[in-house]
């Protein structure tokens, strides 16, 4: 593995492990998702730069637009959770009453 | 220069360790900002000046400001940094995992990734700039799809957070 390939692969894996294992705050899970999208953006951009296929360079920008949608929906869920439960701890979402 | 780019990419991994080790959301947002900054530096060093600028301005300037505001909803009296308790253990564990992966996978110094437009002179625009301009001509369909998705996302956010009798959030 070249160092570039190793770097964004391990960054994606670290974001995935953080999302899978640590869920005290909802915002922590959303930040891990954002880290995964960041590593995907860097991966697409570096692939485009390495292969010199410049027609591919619209792909990371479209990915950035879609990740903005994902971040917006996630933060809206965070605001909704804070309005109903008063906190964003995921332990509070297990309670049967608000 | 190549070793400096490797240093930037390893800083990206260390920033993601700081996000994934479950600190308080303030410090996780800080780790993500560090990761985005050094990722921008790595992209610029590989020759993609426009995508690096776009990452820095849009991602770091737009999205992380929203995350920093939302960190106020997750406020704690004693936020955990990377040096205390279980977070320190997770940081050490992830760094150990990255170190094992470096020992196992690292290699290929002979075939470093080249940068775009290397060994070519007298370019008017960089390669990624000329590629992005295709998005406005033959890739206009995807541009329309992106604009439509962003508009849909606006209505999704408004419905999720409205909270009167008709929205998705009826308890408030």
């Amino acid at each position: 593995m070249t160092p570039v390939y190793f770097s964004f692969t391990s960054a994606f894996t670290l974001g995935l492990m953080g999302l899978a294992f640590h869920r005290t705050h909802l915002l922590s899970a959303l930040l891990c998702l954002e880290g995964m999208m960041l590593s995907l953006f860097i991966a697409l951009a570096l692939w485009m730069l390495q292969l010199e296929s410049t027609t591919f360079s619209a792909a990371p920008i479209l990915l950035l637009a879609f990740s903005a949608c994902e971040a917006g929906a996630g933060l809206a869920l965070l605001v909704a959770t804070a309005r109903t439960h008063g906190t964003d701890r995921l332990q509070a979402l297990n309670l049967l009453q608000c | 220069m190549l070793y400096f780019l490797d240093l930037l990419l390893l800083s990206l991994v260390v920033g993601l360790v700081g996000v994934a080790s479950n600190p308080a959301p303030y410090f996780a947002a800080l780790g993500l900002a560090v990761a985005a900054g050094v990722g921008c530096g790595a992209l610029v060093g590989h020759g993609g000046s426009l995508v690096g600028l776009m990452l820095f301005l849009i991602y770091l300037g737009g999205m992380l400001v929203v995350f920093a505001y939302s960190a106020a909803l997750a406020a704690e009296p004693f936020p955990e940094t990377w040096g205390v308790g279980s977070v320190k253990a997770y940081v050490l564990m992830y760094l150990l995992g990255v170190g094992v992966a470096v020992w196992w996978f690292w290699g290929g110094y002979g075939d470093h990734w080249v940068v775009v437009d290397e060994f070519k002179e007298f370019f008017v625009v960089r390669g990624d700039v000329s590629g992005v301009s295709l998005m406005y001509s033959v890739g206009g369909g995807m541009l329309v799809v992106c604009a439509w998705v962003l508009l849909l996302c606006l209505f999704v956010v408004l419905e999720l957070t409205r909270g009167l009798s008709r929205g998705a959030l009826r308890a408030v």
Side-chain angles (χ1 to χ4, degrees), chain A residues 1-8 10-11 14-15 17-18 21-25 27-28 30-32 34-36 38 41-42 45-50 52 54-55 57-58 60-62 64-69 71-73 75-80 82-84 87-89 98, chain B residues 6 9 12-13 16-17 19-20 22-23 25 28-29 32 35-36 39 43 46-48 51 54-55 58-59 63 66-67 70-71 73-74 76 90 94 98 101-102 105-107 111 113-117 120 127-128 131-132 134-135 142 146 149-150 153 157 160-162 169 172:
Chain A
M1 251 186 213
T2 61
V4 176
Y5 194 75
F6 173 80
S7 298
F8 60 73
S10 58
L14 279 170
M17 286 175 72
F21 292 148
H22 311 305
R23 294 183 301 247
T24 53
H25 287 281
L27 188 55
S28 296
L30 290 176
L31 283 167
C32 285
E34 280 302 308
M36 288 167 67
L38 174 68
F41 178 85
I42 289 174
L46 286 177
W47 275 326
M48 179 268 293
L49 294 172
Q50 188 230 356
E52 295 201 0
T54 56
T55 55
S57 70
I61 296 164
L62 298 177
L64 198 63
F66 291 146
S67 81
C69 296
L75 289 173
L77 282 174
L78 176 74
V79 171
R83 288 187 69 187
T84 55
T87 177
D88 77 327
R89 288 185 172 272
C98 293
Chain B
D6 286 344
L9 286 167
L12 172 74
V13 177
L16 260 294
V17 166
V19 176
N22 199 25
L32 195 60
L43 287 183
H46 279 87
V51 284
M54 194 167 293
L55 180 66
I58 295 178
Y59 192 88
M63 224 178 285
V66 181
F67 269 95
S70 301
L73 292 175
E76 291 175 324
Y90 282 125
Y94 282 140
V98 169
V102 162
F105 288 114
W106 192 275
D111 47 351
W113 284 28
V114 298
V115 301
V116 70
D117 297 342
K120 302 184 186 71
D128 56 344
V132 164
L134 281 180
M135 199 170 66
M142 281 306 291
C146 270
V149 163
L150 284 168
C153 181
V157 168
L160 275 177
T161 57
R162 185 172 59 177
L169 182 66
V172 177

Side-chain angles (χ1 to χ4, degrees), chain B:
Chain B
M1 187 64 190
L2 289 177
Y3 292 109
F4 183 65
L5 289 183
D6 286 344
L7 181 67
L8 284 179
L9 286 167
L10 279 182
S11 304
L12 172 74
V13 177
V14 172
L16 260 294
V17 166
V19 176
S21 60
N22 199 25
Y26 300 118
F27 300 107
L30 177 64
L32 195 60
V34 168
V38 295
C40 166
L43 287 183
V44 169
H46 279 87
S49 48
L50 182 70
V51 284
L53 183 71
M54 194 167 293
L55 180 66
F56 200 77
L57 287 181
I58 295 178
Y59 192 88
L60 202 56
M63 224 178 285
L64 275 179
V65 166
V66 181
F67 269 95
Y69 275 113
S70 301
L73 292 175
E76 291 175 324
F78 302 106
E80 288 182 318
T81 62
W82 294 288
V84 294
S86 66
V87 183
K88 188 178 186 179
Y90 282 125
V91 166
L92 292 179
M93 189 180 76
Y94 282 140
L95 284 179
L96 183 67
V98 169
V100 169
V102 162
W103 175 70
W104 190 257
F105 288 114
W106 192 275
Y109 256 105
D111 47 351
H112 245 288
W113 284 28
V114 298
V115 301
V116 70
D117 297 342
E118 206 177 20
F119 311 124
K120 302 184 186 71
E121 278 81 27
F122 307 116
F123 266 95
V124 177
V125 292
R126 293 303 291 257
D128 56 344
V129 181
S130 60
V132 164
S133 67
L134 281 180
M135 199 170 66
Y136 298 99
S137 58
V138 293
M142 281 306 291
L143 192 68
V144 170
V145 168
C146 270
W148 185 252
V149 163
L150 284 168
L151 184 66
L152 181 65
C153 181
L154 174 67
F155 287 110
V156 164
V157 168
L158 287 178
E159 279 297 314
L160 275 177
T161 57
R162 185 172 59 177
L164 283 179
S165 62
R166 286 184 296 130
L169 182 66
R170 300 186 185 184
V172 177

